[in-house]
DNA sequence: CATAAACCTG
DNA sequence: CAGGTTTATG
């Protein structure tokens, strides 16, 4: 007999015959980006997304229209090149910076001394409020509009804020006043020690100050409310461009009907329009949802942040007070004689100074006046300079006191010339000043460092968005990374922070991952699509599959995984990343939080499920789509996730982290619902397979509904469709094979053919779609399978298989046999539930539904291809 | 020109 | 199951 059972023969026979069942044409609607299509769909999208997120940041993103690489660089405080470039010479700028710092310190001191507990905080809060409310710094400092920054509309908070003020001061001062003048804000003799201090620290301070300012500003401007809107606009635009065709479409429900129109596009009439309709409504909805969510979360987050900030400030105040006390102590010990007076003097002087400061800045000149306004408004801030200023003030006090002391002593004890004693006193004072300076400086530095670190730790979403992912793919993280010392991260981060905005250190995200590379880690990488099956699974025997399937994909993996990974990373993890503040001021809390900065990533990554796929080769196996995306951004250590998804995932992760509770995070299990991930997981694949038992030709809408925990985009949709396509392929191949086998075996009538649960055909199918056999295959599937088999049988017997497209008729029949997928499949957790159910011999209400033979009116869209009437015989139905 | 499905191949 | 190719459709 001819080799009926030969697959190769089969293939040859049907070779290149396109049996276009057309059922799924609709799927295309999802993302057919005809509009945006053109060349760089991916690139454009990526760029658009980058832009969106930068907008969300409301941070100054230099327009992202540049190359991707460029867009990556956007940072708030770019030392160079930014709008707020430092134009003045270094020295000038330094002095100006210092001046500013001092000024600000004065203003703080004003309030602070009298009411130690309240001022900074209140001021800060006030400022934040003002910013949030007014929200438009630009307006406040409108005069600056003429300056360079104006060219960057997108940068509400922009670079200007930190650098520009300095620049202003610098330029002004350089023109109008000398650096020296700048250096003596207190009006004290320049010769005093302060200069040294300044020299020592100004650089440091500048950086710190910039950072802190940025942080604070960013906080106050957290993208929350305003941004989403903007970003949404952007998105909408993108949407319009990309899938404007989707809008008018009927609700998803109708989608199913669409394909149903027998001759495909006919019902749709203007097929294009109908398609367009469908397209538009979907993604927008989802995104909108996520955005509203985002907004809410952000608000909460903000409040939380505020609270934390407050605490932080209080701590800092305490420290300052301590410093003050220390100063007094030192002073006292140094000079007992003037005890009471000194205290009084100090207090008075400080008070005076602070009171003076405003006046000074007012008179101080035009160059400073403007700055002050600005600084007050926009850098409300918790400025590191403040501490320095304080220290300076104290020092000055001391100097003054010393000076007074001199005459007094002279008058009292010495009738002689002022020579020896006077100078000695002066020297002593100087020394004391030096000591104090140093001490204060170190203390201040610590404080500032701490603060900065604390702030740096939480990679606010903004920076992340502004600075697209670029995470280094897990592959690139050798074990060393896991073991790496925290300091590295910290330092690294700090560097980054100083450099520009706070840029989450990609390393951190992965570093945060519980080590043990080879173990049950989640994918460190957000696989955009699916993790491929492991080779082992491929080549091993089925027995193995069953166990491994369940174990690896199913329950075993994540259950174990989550607790561990979460707990492991929880300490620092996302929440902490958002709420680092509780950390002790002077402690070293920052090492652990390493993962924190990239908490977003972490969470996101974690969201993609099981499979510590590093060990497997899954990671290397990517879908075309994903790889394509990567390509677009490979410029820097390829990003683990493709840009678009990454961006979105970031916001998502943001939401998650903003929810901020450990519990929340814990609840977000990779497979679980609440977590919308941008990639398809092996579990999704499994789910799809199970769904295949119900539907062989799911519509894209259906897929969306049933994979609600996946953020749909073109790739995802295509991927899912492809899956089902593959499923069908296998299914039909099996059918044909068994049909031919039956024929070869001498079966003469279809009546002899049946598909039962223990027949070979079913076993083969079950093995494919339900390897673990932990799912009870609906009876309906058996029926369909039987029908299919008979169709094939009949067709072959009838010799139809000579027709290249003979299968088409069969497809046509089968595609109508889809049954409703149980609702439970809509649950992201359906896998667990289903499996559990099956274990406990469920009395599935579901199956009943399914079983009800509801041959849907789902029509066969375009059966365009030839085979017209040949097989109209749908015998078995 | 793009999409999607079928078809092939690995 | 993914990648690539072909075919059909809009």
């Amino acid at each position: 007999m001819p080799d009926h059972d030969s697959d190769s023969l089969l293939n040859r026979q049907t070779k290149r015959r396109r049996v276009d069942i057309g059922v799924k044409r609709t799927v295309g609607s999802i993302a057919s980006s005809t509009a945006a299509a053109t060349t760089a769909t991916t690139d454009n999208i990526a760029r658009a997304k980058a832009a969106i997120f930068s907008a969300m940041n409301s941070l100054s993103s230099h327009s992202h229209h540049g190359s991707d690489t460029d867009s990556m660089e956007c940072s708030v405080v770019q030392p160079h090149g930014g709008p707020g470039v430092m134009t003045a010479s270094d020295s000038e700028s330094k002095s100006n910076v210092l001046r500013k710092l001092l000024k600000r310190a004065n203003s703080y001191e004003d309030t602070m001394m009298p009411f130690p507990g309240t001022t900074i905080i209140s001021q800060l809060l006030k400022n934040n409020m003002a910013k949030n409310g007014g929200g438009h710094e630009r307006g406040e400092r409108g005069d600056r509009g003429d300056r360079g920054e104006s060219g960057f509309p997108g940068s509400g908070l922009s670079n200007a804020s930190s650098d520009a003020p300095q620049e202003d001061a610098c330029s002004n001062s350089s023109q109008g006043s000398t650096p020296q003048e700048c250096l003596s804000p207190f009006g004290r003799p320049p010769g005093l020690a302060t200069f040294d201090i300044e020299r020592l620290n100004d650089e440091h301070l500048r950086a710190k100050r910039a950072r802190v300012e940025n942080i604070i500003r960013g906080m106050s401007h957290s993208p929350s409310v305003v941004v989403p809107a903007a970003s949404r606009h952007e998105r909408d635009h993108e949407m319009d461009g990309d899938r404007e065709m989707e809008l008018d479409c009927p609700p998803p429900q109708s989608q199913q009907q669409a394909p149903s129109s027998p001759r495909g596009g006919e019902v749709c009439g203007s097929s294009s329009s109908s398609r367009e309709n469908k397209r538009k409504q979907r993604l927008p909805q989802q995104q909108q949802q996520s955005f509203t969510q985002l907004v809410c979360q952000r608000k909460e987050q903000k409040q939380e942040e505020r609270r934390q900030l407050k605490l932080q400030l209080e701590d800092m105040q305490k420290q300052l007070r301590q410093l003050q006390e220390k100063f007094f102590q030192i002073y006292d010990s140094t000079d007992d004689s003037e005890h009471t007076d000194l205290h009084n003097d100090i207090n008075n002087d400080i008070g005076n100074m602070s009171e003076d400061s405003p006046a000074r800045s007012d008179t101080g000149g035009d160059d400073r006046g403007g700055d002050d306004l600005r600084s007050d408004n926009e850098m409300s801030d918790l400025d590191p300079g403040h501490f320095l200023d304080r220290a300076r003030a104290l020092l000055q006090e001391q100097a003054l006191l010393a000076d007074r002391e001199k005459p007094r002593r002279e008058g009292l004890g010495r009738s002689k010339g002022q020579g020896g004693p006077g100078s000695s006193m002066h020297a002593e004072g100087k020394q004391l000043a030096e000591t104090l300076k140093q001490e204060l400086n170190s203390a201040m530095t610590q404080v500032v460092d701490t603060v900065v670190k604390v702030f740096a730790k939480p990679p606010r979403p903004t920076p992340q968005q502004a600075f697209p992912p670029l995470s280094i793919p897990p592959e690139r993280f050798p074990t060393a990374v896991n073991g790496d010392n925290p300091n590295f991260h910290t330092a690294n981060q700090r560097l980054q922070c100083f450099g520009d905005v706070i840029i989450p250190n990609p390393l951190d995200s992965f570093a945060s991952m519980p080590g043990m590379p080879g173990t049950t880690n989640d994918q460190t990488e957000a696989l955009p699509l699916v993790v491929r099956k492991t080779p082992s699974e491929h080549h091993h025997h089925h027995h193995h599959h069953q166990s491994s399937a369940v174990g690896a994909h199913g329950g075993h993996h994540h259950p174990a995984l989550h607790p561990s990974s979460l707990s492991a990373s929880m300490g620092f993890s996302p929440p902490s990343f958002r709420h680092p503040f509780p950390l002790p001021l002077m402690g070293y809390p920052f090492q652990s939080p390493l993962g924190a900065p990239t908490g977003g990533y972490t969470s996101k990554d974690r969201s993609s499920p099981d499979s510590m796929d590093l060990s497997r080769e899954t990671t290397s196996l990517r879908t075309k789509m994903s790889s394509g995306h990567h390509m677009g951004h490979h410029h820097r250590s390829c990003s683990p996730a493709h840009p678009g998804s990454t961006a979105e995932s970031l916001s998502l992760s943001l939401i998650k982290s903003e929810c901020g509770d450990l519990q929340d995070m814990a609840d977000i299990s990779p497979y679980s619902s609440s977590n919308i991930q941008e990639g398809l997981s092996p579990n999704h694949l499994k789910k799809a397979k199970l769904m295949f038992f119900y539907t062989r030709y799911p519509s894209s809408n259906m897929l969306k509904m049933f994979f609600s925990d996946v953020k749909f985009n073109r790739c995802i949709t295509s991927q899912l469709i492809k899956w089902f396509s593959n499923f069908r392929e296998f299914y039909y191949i099996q059918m044909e094979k068994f049909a031919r086998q039956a024929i070869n075996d001498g079966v003469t009538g279809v009546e002899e053919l049946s598909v039962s649960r223990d027949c070979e055909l079913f076993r083969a199918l079950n093995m494919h779609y339900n390897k673990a056999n932990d799912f009870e295959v609906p009876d309906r599937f058996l029926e369909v399978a039987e029908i299919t088999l008979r169709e094939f049988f009949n067709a072959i017997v009838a010799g139809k298989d000579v027709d290249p497209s003979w299968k088409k008729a069969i497809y046509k029949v089968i595609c109508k046999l889809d049954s409703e997928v149980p609702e439970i499949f809509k649950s992201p957790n359906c896998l667990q539930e289903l499996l559990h159910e099956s274990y406990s011999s469920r009395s599935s209400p579901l199956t009943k539904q399914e079983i009800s033979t509801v041959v849907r009116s789902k029509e066969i869209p375009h059966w365009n291809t030839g085979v017209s009437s040949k097989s109209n015989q749908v015998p078995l139905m």
Side-chain angles (χ1 to χ4, degrees):
Chain A
M1 285 296 283
D3 22 15
H4 275 306
D5 50 354
S6 156
D7 279 349
S8 58
L9 177 60
L10 292 179
N11 288 336
R12 233 120 262 151
Q13 285 174 332
T14 60
K15 194 187 223 164
R16 283 287 153 230
R17 295 315 176 189
R18 183 189 173 195
V19 187
D20 198 347
I21 213 170
V23 175
K24 314 230 29 171
R25 235 25 202 233
T26 55
V27 171
S29 61
I30 295 175
S32 70
S33 56
T34 52
T38 69
T39 57
T41 52
T42 55
D43 258 11
N44 287 337
I45 290 173
R47 247 176 247 159
K49 283 180 176 164
I52 291 168
F53 284 100
S54 66
M56 288 184 68
N57 294 340
S58 79
L59 277 180
S60 64
S61 50
H62 310 190
S63 69
H64 284 264
H65 299 318
S67 67
D68 283 8
T69 2
D70 287 343
S71 61
M72 297 302 188
E73 302 298 347
C74 67
S75 60
V76 173
V77 186
Q78 282 205 336
H80 56 285
V85 186
M86 300 274 285
T87 56
S89 70
D90 241 4
S91 62
E92 283 175 341
S93 61
K94 283 179 188 175
S95 57
N96 283 295
V97 170
L98 289 171
R99 194 180 56 185
K100 286 202 61 157
L101 292 175
L102 290 172
K103 262 189 295 184
R104 209 171 305 129
N106 285 340
S107 58
Y108 275 122
E109 221 119 0
D110 279 350
T111 46
M112 211 173 138
M113 291 309 285
F115 311 101
T118 60
T119 54
I120 284 186
I121 295 170
S122 59
Q123 197 148 345
L124 182 82
L125 290 177
K126 235 186 343 187
N127 283 312
N128 281 343
M129 295 297 223
K131 282 186 194 169
N132 287 335
H136 315 303
E137 265 187 318
R138 295 203 69 77
E140 290 178 353
R141 46 168 178 162
D143 51 325
R144 309 188 71 232
D146 333 46
R147 300 184 78 263
E149 308 93 284
S150 59
F152 297 76
S155 60
L157 306 168
S158 80
N159 325 354
S161 47
S162 63
D163 282 345
Q166 295 177 5
E167 185 187 356
D168 282 353
C170 292
S171 56
N172 287 335
S173 68
S174 63
Q175 293 172 356
S177 58
T178 69
Q180 251 64 8
E181 288 174 329
C182 298
L183 286 175
S184 50
F186 290 119
R188 60 179 164 83
L192 224 47
T194 16
F195 186 80
D196 292 331
I197 299 178
E198 290 170 356
R199 234 183 46 215
L200 289 174
N201 292 291
D202 58 356
E203 199 123 19
H204 204 200
L205 287 173
R206 234 168 61 207
K208 282 177 183 169
R209 185 177 129 268
R211 252 178 92 212
V212 172
E213 286 172 351
N214 277 321
I215 291 161
I216 291 174
R217 202 171 304 115
M219 288 178 65
S220 53
H221 283 263
S222 61
S224 59
V225 183
V226 184
V227 181
S231 61
R232 242 188 32 217
H233 279 309
E234 293 251 5
R235 285 187 171 224
D236 288 348
H237 285 317
E238 182 189 340
M239 295 293 236
D240 290 344
D242 202 7
R243 13 184 122 76
E244 61 180 323
M245 315 187 72
E246 281 190 41
L247 254 200
D248 27 356
C249 141
Q253 302 288 5
S254 61
Q255 179 84 358
Q256 293 184 355
Q257 304 302 342
S260 68
S261 70
R263 292 300 175 248
E266 294 175 6
V267 164
C268 295
S270 59
S271 57
S272 64
S273 66
S274 68
R275 258 173 88 184
E276 297 165 11
N277 297 344
K278 290 168 198 166
R279 281 190 201 155
K280 261 198 179 174
Q281 60 183 4
R282 295 169 204 158
L283 284 168
Q285 282 180 347
Q286 285 184 353
Q287 288 173 353
Q288 203 162 354
Q289 256 189 349
S290 53
F291 270 114
T292 43
Q293 243 187 345
L294 183 74
V295 171
C296 293
Q297 314 267 3
R298 281 254 180 92
K299 278 180 184 170
E300 293 179 5
Q301 169 61 22
K302 235 201 232 166
Q303 287 191 348
E304 180 62 16
E305 275 182 347
R306 228 173 259 169
R307 232 175 299 144
Q308 303 290 358
L309 182 60
K310 210 172 171 183
L311 289 176
Q312 184 81 12
L313 284 171
E314 282 174 352
D315 278 343
M316 292 176 72
Q317 274 189 326
K318 274 182 199 167
Q319 286 201 339
L320 281 173
R321 257 173 272 147
Q322 284 181 350
L323 286 175
Q324 205 181 350
E325 287 177 4
K326 200 170 184 181
F327 169 81
F328 283 134
Q329 284 180 357
I330 293 171
Y331 189 92
D332 290 345
S333 62
T334 309
D335 192 344
D336 297 342
S337 59
E338 307 290 338
H339 202 68
T340 48
D341 285 346
L342 285 178
H343 269 90
N344 289 337
D345 285 346
I346 288 172
N347 286 334
N348 288 338
D349 281 341
I350 289 176
N352 289 339
M353 269 199 323
S354 45
E355 286 177 2
D356 283 350
S357 65
R360 220 180 297 133
S361 38
D362 285 346
T363 60
D366 319 56
D367 51 345
R368 288 193 285 212
D371 290 346
D372 282 345
L373 286 178
R374 253 200 305 288
S375 61
D376 284 343
N377 286 335
E378 55 185 50
M379 336 183 105
S380 29
D381 3 335
L382 164 81
D383 187 321
H386 163 78
F387 299 101
L388 178 59
D389 295 346
R390 247 186 104 56
R392 214 158 275 149
L394 292 174
L395 286 174
Q396 198 190 0
E397 268 322 303
Q398 229 222 304
L400 290 175
L401 290 172
D403 281 348
R404 289 182 195 175
E405 204 176 332
K406 215 194 309 181
R408 225 184 271 181
R409 284 200 178 177
E410 285 174 359
L412 288 176
R414 310 231 172 185
S415 51
K416 261 195 181 174
Q418 334 170 282
S423 53
S424 71
M425 287 310 272
H426 190 74
E428 199 182 342
K430 254 187 175 179
Q431 207 176 4
L432 177 61
E434 277 296 340
T435 310
L436 287 172
K437 253 189 317 183
Q438 289 179 358
E439 241 181 298
L440 287 171
N441 271 330
S442 63
M444 180 207 67
T445 303
Q446 271 184 321
V447 171
V448 171
D449 272 340
T450 310
V451 173
V452 167
K453 277 189 222 163
V454 169
F455 278 108
K457 272 318 158 188
R460 300 182 309 98
T462 346
Q464 282 184 348
Q465 292 158 354
F467 190 85
L470 305 185
S471 307
I472 298 173
E475 295 93 338
R476 294 192 46 188
F477 287 87
T479 49
V481 173
N482 289 327
D484 52 31
N485 69 24
N487 293 329
F488 169 72
H489 290 287
T490 317
N492 196 349
Q493 242 180 7
R494 286 183 57 187
L495 282 179
Q496 287 184 353
C497 294
F498 278 92
D500 349 355
V501 198
I502 303 150
I503 300 167
N505 183 347
L507 290 175
D508 292 345
S509 61
F510 297 103
S512 70
M513 299 302 293
M516 319 194 313
T519 61
T520 57
N521 273 327
D522 278 334
Q523 314 173 181
T524 44
E525 170 180 12
L527 293 181
L529 294 173
V530 164
V531 182
R532 202 177 181 176
K533 202 200 293 182
T534 76
S536 62
E537 276 180 343
H538 268 307
H539 305 304
H540 285 0
H541 290 303
H542 297 302
H543 271 47
H544 187 56
H545 291 197
Q546 298 202 346
S547 58
S548 74
V550 183
H553 292 296
H556 186 64
H557 224 56
H558 41 99
L561 172 76
H562 291 307
S564 62
S565 64
L566 280 180
S567 61
S569 59
M570 235 36 230
F572 27 104
S573 69
S576 68
F577 124 46
R578 303 294 298 170
H579 314 279
F581 308 93
L583 299 174
L585 253 179
M586 290 311 218
Y588 302 85
F590 309 106
Q591 301 169 353
S592 52
L594 292 181
T598 26
Y601 293 113
T602 308
S603 64
K604 173 197 70 187
D605 293 344
R606 194 175 293 123
S607 67
S608 51
D610 65 41
S611 65
M612 165 52 209
D613 287 320
L614 292 182
S615 57
R616 319 200 217 163
E617 53 183 339
T618 44
T619 27
S620 60
L621 304 174
R622 299 244 167 86
T623 61
K624 179 165 62 178
M625 293 82 103
S626 66
S627 63
H629 281 291
H630 285 208
M631 288 301 90
H633 304 263
H634 58 19
H635 50 276
R636 271 209 213 173
S637 67
C638 27
S639 63
H642 39 268
S645 314
T646 302
E648 279 152 345
S649 71
L650 280 179
S651 44
L652 288 174
S653 63
L654 197 166
I655 295 175
K656 296 173 205 163
S657 25
E658 278 183 340
C659 309
D661 290 355
L662 297 181
Q663 285 196 339
D664 285 1
M665 293 308 296
D667 289 345
I668 299 174
S669 104
Y671 307 100
S672 80
S673 46
S674 52
N675 194 14
I676 298 177
Q677 45 189 141
E678 89 257 38
L680 290 171
S681 69
N683 273 350
H684 288 120
L685 178 58
K686 193 172 183 178
K687 178 177 173 179
K689 283 179 174 180
L690 294 184
M691 283 176 64
F692 184 79
F693 285 126
Y694 299 91
T695 176
R696 268 63 58 187
Y697 294 89
S699 69
S700 59
N701 271 334
M702 206 183 303
L703 292 176
K704 281 177 187 165
M705 285 192 298
F706 284 95
F707 291 90
S708 56
D709 59 335
V710 179
K711 205 181 68 58
F712 268 79
N713 55 39
R714 243 203 313 168
C715 292
I716 298 293
T717 307
S718 307
Q719 183 66 23
L720 280 170
I721 289 172
K722 175 70 175 177
W723 281 355
F724 277 89
S725 179
N726 284 331
F727 298 160
R728 282 194 301 269
E729 194 174 0
F730 178 83
Y731 175 81
Y732 287 126
I733 287 173
Q734 294 302 312
M735 291 299 169
E736 184 177 354
K737 190 166 79 176
F738 278 89
R740 292 186 185 279
Q741 215 170 52
I743 292 172
N744 285 342
D745 290 345
V747 175
T748 57
V750 291
E751 302 77 21
E752 302 177 42
L753 290 174
S754 69
V755 175
S756 62
R757 289 179 189 273
D758 47 2
C759 75
E760 261 188 73
L761 175 56
F762 176 82
R763 283 172 56 188
L765 294 173
N766 193 51
M767 194 57 68
H768 242 73
Y769 309 119
N770 185 24
K771 275 196 176 91
N773 198 27
D774 48 9
F775 176 75
E776 183 178 313
V777 178
D779 293 335
R780 172 65 181 164
F781 179 76
L782 293 177
E783 299 176 27
V784 174
E786 189 172 296
I787 294 168
T788 310
L789 181 61
R790 291 179 177 183
E791 281 291 319
F792 270 96
F793 179 87
N794 285 335
I796 294 170
V797 167
K800 287 173 185 168
D801 56 345
V802 296
D803 183 334
S805 53
W806 65 282
K807 289 180 182 175
K808 187 175 56 179
I810 301 175
Y811 298 158
K812 181 179 178 179
V813 172
I814 303 306
C815 78
K816 287 189 281 190
L817 300 182
D818 279 5
S819 49
E820 297 291 339
V821 179
E823 288 292 316
I824 191 174
F825 277 92
K826 288 180 181 174
S827 162
N829 295 323
C830 68
L831 269 186
Q832 280 88 357
E833 301 174 32
L834 287 172
L835 299 187
H836 288 148
E837 270 186 31
S838 68
Y839 279 127
S840 59
S841 69
R842 68 176 193 196
S843 60
S844 74
L846 311 171
T847 39
K848 290 181 182 176
Q849 289 182 4
E850 320 146 11
I851 290 178
S852 68
T853 310
V854 183
V855 178
R856 287 188 277 159
S857 59
K858 186 174 180 178
E859 267 287 9
I860 308 138
H862 42 268
W863 218 264
N864 29 30
T865 333
V867 181
S868 47
S869 54
K870 202 169 185 180
S871 59
N872 278 342
Q873 21 155 335
V874 183
L876 297 177
M877 284 305 291

